[in-house]
Amino acid sequence: MKEEAVVFGTNTDLVGVITNPKERNDELPAFVFLNAGMTHRIGPSRLHVRFARELSEIGHTVIRFDFSGLGDSSRRTDDLPIAESVVRETREAMDLLEKKCKIKRFILIGICSGATISYLTSKHDDRVAGVVLINAQSHLHGMDTALGEYLREQTFAKHAWRIALRSSFRRKNFRKAIGGQLNPIRIMKMMLGLPMSILFGNREQGSSAKAHDALADLKSVLERGVKVYHLYSEGDEGLDYFNLMLSPAQQATCNQGNSRLSIMLGANHVFTVLWSQDELLKDVMNWTREEFH
Amino acid sequence: MDPFFFDADGASLFGCYHAPSSPARGCALVLANPFGHEYVQFHRVFRQLAIMLADAGFPVLRFDYTGTGDSSDDYPEWSLDRWTKDIEAAVKEVQQRAGSEKTAIVGLRLGGTLALDVAAKMGTVDSLVLWDPILRGGPHVEEIRAGHESMMGYAHVIAKPDSGCPPEVLGFAFPDTIADELKGIDLLESRGEIAKRVLVIESNEAEPQQALCDWIAATKADLTYEEISNPHLWVWLEDFAKMHVPRKLLQSIVDWFSEGYA
């Protein structure tokens, strides 16, 4: 394995690190790791570095880079909206590997916002062979910001109810409540959000959310041959978004054909605890071997 | 800015060299990172500091210690001795790139502690910035372990004691070897001369730096002490989007260097 620093991009200086496998297999797609929120390209708890090195051991070339304005990368000098610049910069990372390493197929992987951008990019670029969407949120409803705001409120409320009543954290929540560690007003506000929105919520947005066919959205990606892996932590709000967008019956179809869904119990948004990092790595490596080797 | 890898005793260290964007001043700078989650949270802060210093005419090298950030290896290779040598290698690298004989080190938290050791060992470091350095390792280890316990209490995580993972704190392995080394830190131990000019920055009143200032004042160094309150900068955040850049504090570092190398 050999790592090299790269600077690329047409509008700005994007900084990245390419991990080259000792023996490259030209049949294998390269991985592109996208920033998780504001964390720079090493990922939360340096997860992206560990993943890149493990993936290179089984023959994959990997690039980890920072979007403009994050990590070591400069800000853009144009006025391109961020929703467009992140997709463009992801495609530029693929362009770089295509030119430099002659790789033509890619797997996009990211946590949180990195997952959302992976999914959005897969709709725009035929080179994307797979996406690993870890704790993805806000990816299945398009670019409607008003609808996004409505869904966000719904997600918060669903999250509070699920964590309180139906999660591995119930006992811990009880201890926190006894110990005075919970903010009862905040919790009540979050939990009341769901019934209140049903009774008095924005009906237009509610109808719009119901009318939006998230499964069709997902199928449009799958039908293009993209392998999609949704992976959620039990403690993450992204899972509630996913539950909001897809019914249980629809979710069952997410474990068929090119689509895979798994939920890691007892893990949080950024896989802080080491066992969850190990599990995540194992899951991604298994999926990669099964789908691409 | 030029990102690259350089060799440090067999390890491949990731560095970012910031060439001066205005006429170069006669001192090249190395930034020494904090450790663990503090490193992740301060990455952008250090980048901003490097840009500000380069704009003021200083060549600057940021880099990652062995087994951290983008550098080679992982936690089994962590040791304070190794990281001290990494800083020495970075000093040599920036001297070579900038063609400057004078060097300075800016160290934050554990980076400050290690920077002071390097300065005493090398004897050629001209200026030193110690930003909330860890004075005593024992309380520091207790503090980060308490932070981890607290996180385990409120975050949506479940412990699995039988997972076979090494001891951990706040997202990173924390093997006993590094914990024991950290516990041995006593920055107030006598070391002789460290640098001509020293800036001590205290941003958290819960960790006062007065004892360090008294110790430095007893050496021949020209000491400046700045208290700029930013007490929650390195508290672990699950919501990492809340990180912020302490502009006023960074500017005080740039001003101090600019005055010293007019």
Side-chain angles (χ1 to χ4, degrees):
Chain A
M1 182 269 288
K2 185 170 169 35
E3 294 186 310
E4 60 178 310
V6 288
V7 180
F8 64 98
T10 49
N11 177 272
T12 185
D13 287 342
L14 303 174
V15 176
V17 171
I18 298 175
T19 306
N20 294 295
K22 197 183 275 181
E23 287 173 31
R24 182 183 299 145
N25 179 342
D26 289 338
E27 300 295 309
L28 294 177
F31 273 81
V32 181
F33 277 77
L34 306 181
N35 294 106
M38 303 282 280
T39 305
H40 80 289
R41 63 186 172 276
I42 69 164
S45 304
R46 209 181 176 221
L47 268 172
H48 294 180
V49 178
R50 189 174 168 203
F51 275 50
R53 292 174 184 173
E54 290 278 344
L55 288 163
S56 80
E57 288 294 315
I58 59 169
H60 293 272
T61 302
V62 182
I63 185 168
R64 303 176 281 110
F65 77 100
D66 293 317
F67 287 123
S68 53
L70 292 180
D72 288 319
S73 296
S74 312
R75 290 178 200 281
R76 292 184 74 87
T77 53
D78 58 15
D79 295 327
L80 199 64
I82 191 162
E84 291 174 36
S85 69
V86 288
V87 171
R88 185 175 294 184
E89 290 165 10
T90 305
R91 298 180 76 181
E92 285 176 351
M94 292 191 271
D95 294 343
L96 175 77
L97 288 187
E98 186 166 3
K99 194 174 168 192
K100 204 173 163 65
C101 310
K102 315 285 178 236
I103 296 170
K104 295 190 187 308
R105 291 196 310 150
F106 298 89
I107 299 168
L108 309 181
I109 178 169
I111 300 172
C112 188
S113 58
T116 300
I117 298 162
S118 297
Y119 184 79
L120 295 178
T121 309
S122 73
K123 292 179 167 185
H124 292 95
D125 200 306
D126 289 337
R127 293 172 296 178
V128 179
V131 285
V132 182
L133 312 175
I134 304 166
N135 291 332
Q137 213 180 123
S138 73
H139 60 303
L140 291 171
H141 65 266
M143 305 301 284
D144 184 336
T145 47
L147 176 59
E149 194 57 40
Y150 172 83
L151 290 170
R152 194 169 163 75
E153 282 173 20
Q154 297 275 305
T155 298
F156 274 146
K158 266 186 167 289
H159 180 70
W161 280 100
R162 181 175 61 82
I163 294 294
L165 303 176
R166 290 185 291 114
S167 75
S168 311
F169 314 114
R170 278 174 302 175
R171 201 175 288 174
K172 183 188 255 189
N173 291 335
F174 183 69
R175 281 200 300 270
K176 282 198 281 190
I178 297 289
Q181 289 177 286
L182 295 179
N183 179 342
I185 296 170
R186 184 165 176 265
I187 301 293
M188 288 300 286
K189 211 172 156 186
M190 284 175 77
M191 294 180 83
L192 283 173
L194 197 59
M196 293 298 275
S197 73
I198 292 168
L199 290 172
F200 309 111
N202 184 330
R203 291 184 187 280
E204 194 184 326
Q205 291 301 345
S207 311
S208 175
K210 275 182 193 153
H212 183 80
D213 191 344
L215 188 61
D217 195 298
L218 180 58
K219 277 182 176 168
S220 71
V221 172
L222 293 166
E223 281 163 6
R224 290 177 49 231
V226 180
K227 294 175 191 294
V228 179
Y229 186 13
H230 276 98
L231 206 155
Y232 284 104
S233 305
E234 185 187 19
D236 189 64
E237 284 159 14
L239 178 56
D240 302 287
Y241 170 83
F242 194 73
N243 290 337
L244 191 64
M245 299 306 290
L246 297 170
S247 68
Q250 289 175 321
Q251 285 184 29
T253 66
C254 289
N255 254 331
Q256 294 170 1
N258 281 346
S259 182
R260 181 93 63 88
L261 166 67
S262 71
I263 297 163
M264 193 187 296
L265 299 180
N268 68 337
H269 182 52
V270 284
F271 303 88
T272 305
V273 184
L274 293 190
W275 70 257
S276 63
Q277 296 174 17
D278 287 354
E279 290 282 313
L280 182 65
L281 178 61
K282 200 169 79 184
D283 286 350
V284 172
M285 295 299 287
N286 285 343
W287 176 82
T288 304
R289 284 195 188 95
E290 285 165 20
E291 299 291 348
F292 295 96
H293 283 245
Chain B
M1 190 193 77
D2 177 22
F4 65 105
F5 283 91
F6 63 101
D7 182 75
D9 201 16
S12 181
L13 304 187
F14 177 83
C16 279
Y17 177 68
H18 297 253
S21 51
S22 56
R25 302 190 191 232
C27 187
L29 275 54
V30 166
L31 305 191
N33 286 325
F35 163 66
H37 75 280
E38 295 180 359
Y39 159 76
V40 179
Q41 289 179 205
F42 275 95
H43 179 270
R44 188 75 180 177
V45 176
F46 260 30
R47 178 186 181 271
Q48 294 304 108
L49 177 60
I51 289 170
M52 290 165 73
L53 287 163
D55 284 346
F58 295 96
V60 184
L61 176 62
R62 296 183 286 126
F63 78 101
D64 294 332
Y65 306 124
T66 302
T68 74
D70 286 307
S71 291
S72 66
D73 303 303
D74 208 341
Y75 70 87
E77 279 69 47
W78 289 352
S79 85
L80 300 190
D81 184 51
R82 172 92 231 184
W83 293 342
T84 303
K85 286 177 180 153
D86 289 348
I87 298 176
E88 287 178 51
V91 167
K92 285 173 190 153
E93 186 68 32
V94 78
Q95 280 177 330
Q96 202 176 355
R97 283 185 170 248
S100 171
E101 284 185 10
K102 284 185 182 172
T103 47
I105 309 174
V106 179
L108 169 61
R109 304 281 287 153
L110 181 64
T113 307
L114 298 173
L116 193 142
D117 261 344
V118 171
K121 192 174 161 192
M122 293 183 83
T124 55
V125 174
D126 207 55
S127 293
L128 196 56
V129 175
L130 306 174
W131 175 358
D132 291 302
I134 293 153
L135 299 187
R136 291 199 168 84
H140 176 65
V141 169
E142 281 175 29
E143 182 199 324
I144 50 180
R145 282 184 171 151
H148 182 75
E149 285 310 307
S150 168
M151 179 277 294
M152 291 300 292
Y154 68 76
H156 293 151
V157 293
I158 298 291
K160 287 192 180 174
D162 301 327
S163 65
C165 293
E168 60 187 290
V169 286
L170 299 170
F172 291 88
F174 195 55
D176 291 340
T177 47
I178 201 75
D180 290 343
E181 278 197 81
L182 285 171
K183 280 184 201 165
I185 289 174
D186 182 357
L187 207 57
L188 306 179
E189 268 180 4
S190 177
R191 282 179 181 76
E193 301 305 316
I194 46 173
K196 286 183 188 148
R197 300 174 73 237
V198 181
L199 169 63
V200 174
I201 297 174
E202 180 185 315
S203 72
N204 183 359
E205 61 185 23
E207 296 187 39
Q209 301 292 332
Q210 191 55 51
L212 177 66
C213 290
D214 293 344
W215 179 84
I216 293 169
T219 71
K220 289 179 187 166
D222 176 7
L223 172 70
T224 306
Y225 165 71
E226 292 247 22
E227 190 182 340
I228 304 169
S229 186
N230 269 300
H232 301 298
L233 277 180
W234 53 79
V235 172
W236 180 82
L237 298 171
E238 187 171 15
D239 184 356
F240 31 75
K242 285 182 183 163
M243 290 183 290
H244 74 281
V245 175
R247 198 88 190 167
K248 189 178 163 195
L249 198 155
L250 302 189
Q251 190 59 53
S252 73
I253 295 173
V254 177
D255 292 345
W256 183 79
F257 273 112
S258 299
E259 284 163 20
Y261 301 92

